[in-house]
């Protein structure tokens, strides 16, 4: 709720920790680790239409060493896990965030250890006007705030590298290529494509973050533009389907200290979210229970509450028994836009 006080994680050299009050109501994702809630958030929205999310940023993230936070800075320093929560609690727009960063009054960000290491993260922020930025703490380069003019964000490398990499794909198009024509012994020959989709020949299909970035940009650019909020949510749902990673098809190879065997850890889509900033609604689904749920600010209780993201497999489905009807000439059907048929 609005008015809650949130506290930073403690540092041994600090006699006090950072504390801040939420100016707005929040809907956010959190996780429990070893029976306790992690002090921070993975992403969410606030009631005035600001969205913030964190994504994994391996090999590139670098934060302030926690031992280097001075006593003077203790009340204005937070871990990398708290950045999203702080932004959602304090800002109503990307413009406000930019002003604080330009004025160098944004808190110091230090790296806290979770699951045996400092988790490398970067942050995407967008408001309901469409103004968007990517906030990164880059090894050897410091803090950078990039204007996100393309509307896409994935993982490593840094955001400016991804934007440069798009220059390798100017040939991608939504329309099919024309038939290839040539002449043989005075006669014109035509080679027709096997089917539709040739405009996207060369579109990367693997799950590496650079190629997921290119694929998301192409799909976002070429999809039919939504005419209203309902269509926008539907279009986003289908875009997320194209980015969904099935468990087991993309694994990290990790060696644990003291163990000779290589351990495989699956990189897959734990959950998906859609944020409707114009209406203040947050849609989500898990990996096992793939049915979409929705929370909107106008239906939230006045106290802090939670809802699990994941559910049971059978929770994904609704029986169609109740809508069965005799098939005859008078049978009614749900009509759709003729452009969709």
């Amino acid at each position: 709720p609005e008015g809650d006080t949130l506290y930073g994680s403690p540092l041994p050299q600090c006699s006090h920790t950072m504390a801040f009050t939420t100016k707005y109501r929040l809907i956010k994702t959190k996780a429990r680790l070893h029976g306790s809630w992690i002090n921070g958030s993975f992403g969410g929205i606030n009631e005035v239409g600001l969205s913030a999310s964190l994504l994994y940023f391996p090999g590139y993230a670098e934060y302030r060493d926690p031992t280097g936070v001075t006593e003077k800075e203790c009340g204005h320093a937070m871990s990398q896990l708290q950045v999203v929560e702080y932004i959602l609690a304090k800002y109503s727009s990307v413009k406000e965030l930019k002003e604080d960063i330009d004025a160098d009054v944004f808190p110091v960000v230090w790296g806290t250890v979770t699951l045996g290491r400092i988790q490398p993260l970067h942050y995407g922020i967008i408001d309901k006007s469409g103004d968007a930025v990517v906030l990164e703490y880059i090894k050897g380069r410091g803090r950078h705030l990039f204007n996100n003019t393309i509307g896409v964000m994935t993982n490593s490398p840094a955001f400016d590298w991804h934007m440069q990499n798009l220059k390798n794909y100017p040939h991608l198009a939504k329309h099919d290529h024309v038939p290839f024509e040539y002449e043989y012994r005075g006669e014109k020959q035509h080679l027709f494509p096997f089917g539709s989709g040739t405009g996207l020949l060369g579109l990367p299909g693997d799950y590496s973050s650079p190629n997921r970035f290119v694929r998301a940009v192409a799909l976002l650019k070429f999809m039919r533009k939504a005419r209203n909020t309902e269509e926008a949510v539907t279009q986003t749902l289908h875009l997320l389907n194209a980015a969904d990673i099935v468990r087991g098809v993309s694994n990290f190879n990790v060696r644990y200290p003291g163990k000779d065997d290589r351990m495989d850890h699956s990189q897959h889509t734990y959950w998906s979210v859609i944020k409707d900033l114009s209406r203040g609604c947050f849609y989500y689904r898990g990996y096992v229970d793939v049915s979409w749920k929705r929370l909107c600010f106008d239906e939230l209780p006045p106290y802090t509450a939670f809802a699990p993201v994941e559910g049971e497999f059978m929770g994904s489905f609704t029986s169609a028994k109740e809508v069965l009807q005799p098939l005859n000439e008078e049978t009614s059907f749900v009509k759709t836009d003729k452009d969709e048929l």
Side-chain angles (χ1 to χ4, degrees):
E2 174 188 354
D4 268 10
T5 301
L6 304 176
Y7 297 92
S9 299
L11 290 170
Q13 73 274 23
C14 291
S15 59
H16 61 290
T17 61
M18 178 176 168
F20 57 95
T21 301
T22 57
K23 295 172 63 176
Y24 313 104
R25 293 183 297 161
L26 313 180
I27 298 175
K28 57 189 178 182
T29 54
K30 293 179 71 72
R32 289 176 67 86
L33 184 63
H34 306 310
S36 299
W37 292 105
I38 289 177
N39 190 10
S41 171
F42 296 142
I45 60 176
N46 67 24
E47 63 180 324
V48 290
L50 185 70
S51 163
S53 304
L54 61 78
L55 289 173
Y56 211 49
F57 194 41
Y60 290 85
E62 184 177 62
Y63 313 104
R64 177 79 72 87
D65 187 317
T67 62
V69 176
T70 66
E71 177 66 25
K72 184 178 179 181
E73 295 172 319
C74 288
H76 198 58
M78 60 184 172
S79 82
Q80 83 277 26
L81 296 175
Q82 295 176 285
V83 171
V84 162
E85 207 163 49
Y86 179 83
I87 289 173
L88 294 176
K90 302 298 288 185
Y91 299 108
S92 65
S93 66
V94 168
K95 180 176 180 290
E96 288 183 359
L97 171 63
K98 287 179 177 178
E99 289 171 350
D100 270 11
I101 288 181
D102 289 343
D104 202 23
V105 296
F106 192 78
V108 172
V109 175
W110 54 273
T112 188
V113 174
T114 307
L115 296 174
R117 62 177 296 190
I118 295 175
Q119 297 299 321
L121 309 168
H122 61 169
Y123 314 92
I125 305 100
I126 185 170
D127 62 33
K128 63 183 178 181
S129 76
D131 196 6
V133 291
V134 173
L135 175 62
E136 295 180 337
Y137 294 80
I138 307 171
K139 190 179 301 182
R141 295 174 58 186
R143 184 181 66 195
H144 281 265
L145 189 69
F146 299 103
N147 289 319
N148 188 349
T149 58
I150 205 72
V152 168
M153 179 182 172
T154 56
N155 309 102
S156 301
F159 182 76
D160 55 347
W161 184 96
H162 286 290
M163 293 298 292
Q164 290 295 316
N165 185 49
L166 288 177
K167 296 178 181 180
N168 289 315
Y169 299 91
H171 57 280
L172 297 178
K174 68 188 300 181
H175 296 108
D176 290 340
H177 292 302
V178 298
F180 177 65
E181 297 182 359
Y182 65 100
E183 189 172 299
Y184 176 70
R185 303 181 70 176
E187 292 187 8
K188 286 188 176 182
Q189 307 291 322
H190 300 84
L191 293 178
F192 291 88
F194 286 117
S196 184
T198 57
L200 293 175
L201 283 171
L203 180 69
D206 64 70
Y207 290 128
S208 65
S209 55
N211 287 345
R212 283 188 283 110
F213 190 98
V214 174
R215 190 162 65 250
V217 167
L219 296 176
L220 184 64
K221 175 178 174 56
F222 298 139
M223 73 176 188
R224 193 180 78 172
K225 301 307 177 186
R227 294 167 295 184
N228 51 53
T229 302
E230 287 76 13
E231 281 193 5
V233 172
T234 301
Q235 294 283 66
T236 304
L237 188 153
H238 288 286
L239 286 176
L240 289 175
N241 286 341
D244 202 22
I245 302 178
V246 181
R247 181 180 291 159
V249 302
S250 179
N251 285 13
F252 298 105
N253 287 319
V254 180
R255 286 190 184 276
Y256 286 97
K259 295 185 177 181
D260 295 329
D261 294 334
R262 180 162 292 185
M263 305 293 290
D264 289 334
H265 284 259
S266 176
Q267 172 192 228
H268 63 277
T269 306
Y270 288 89
W271 66 80
S272 301
V273 301
I274 298 173
K275 301 169 182 178
D276 179 354
L277 301 181
S278 63
R279 296 191 297 193
C281 294
F282 186 90
Y283 300 77
Y284 64 95
R285 73 175 183 192
Y287 184 87
V288 176
D289 180 359
V290 295
S291 61
W292 284 94
K293 282 84 173 176
R294 186 181 74 172
L295 290 170
C296 299
F297 282 107
D298 60 8
E299 60 191 16
L300 294 184
Y303 52 84
T304 301
F306 86 98
V309 170
E310 194 57 276
E312 298 294 332
F313 171 73
M314 290 308 298
S316 302
F317 308 101
T318 301
S319 173
K321 179 179 66 175
E322 301 301 325
V323 297
L324 287 174
Q325 55 184 307
L327 180 60
N328 52 49
E329 295 302 322
E330 284 73 41
T331 300
S332 61
F333 296 92
V334 176
K335 302 294 184 182
T336 59
D337 189 296
K338 63 181 180 180
D339 293 335
E340 309 239 359
L341 296 179

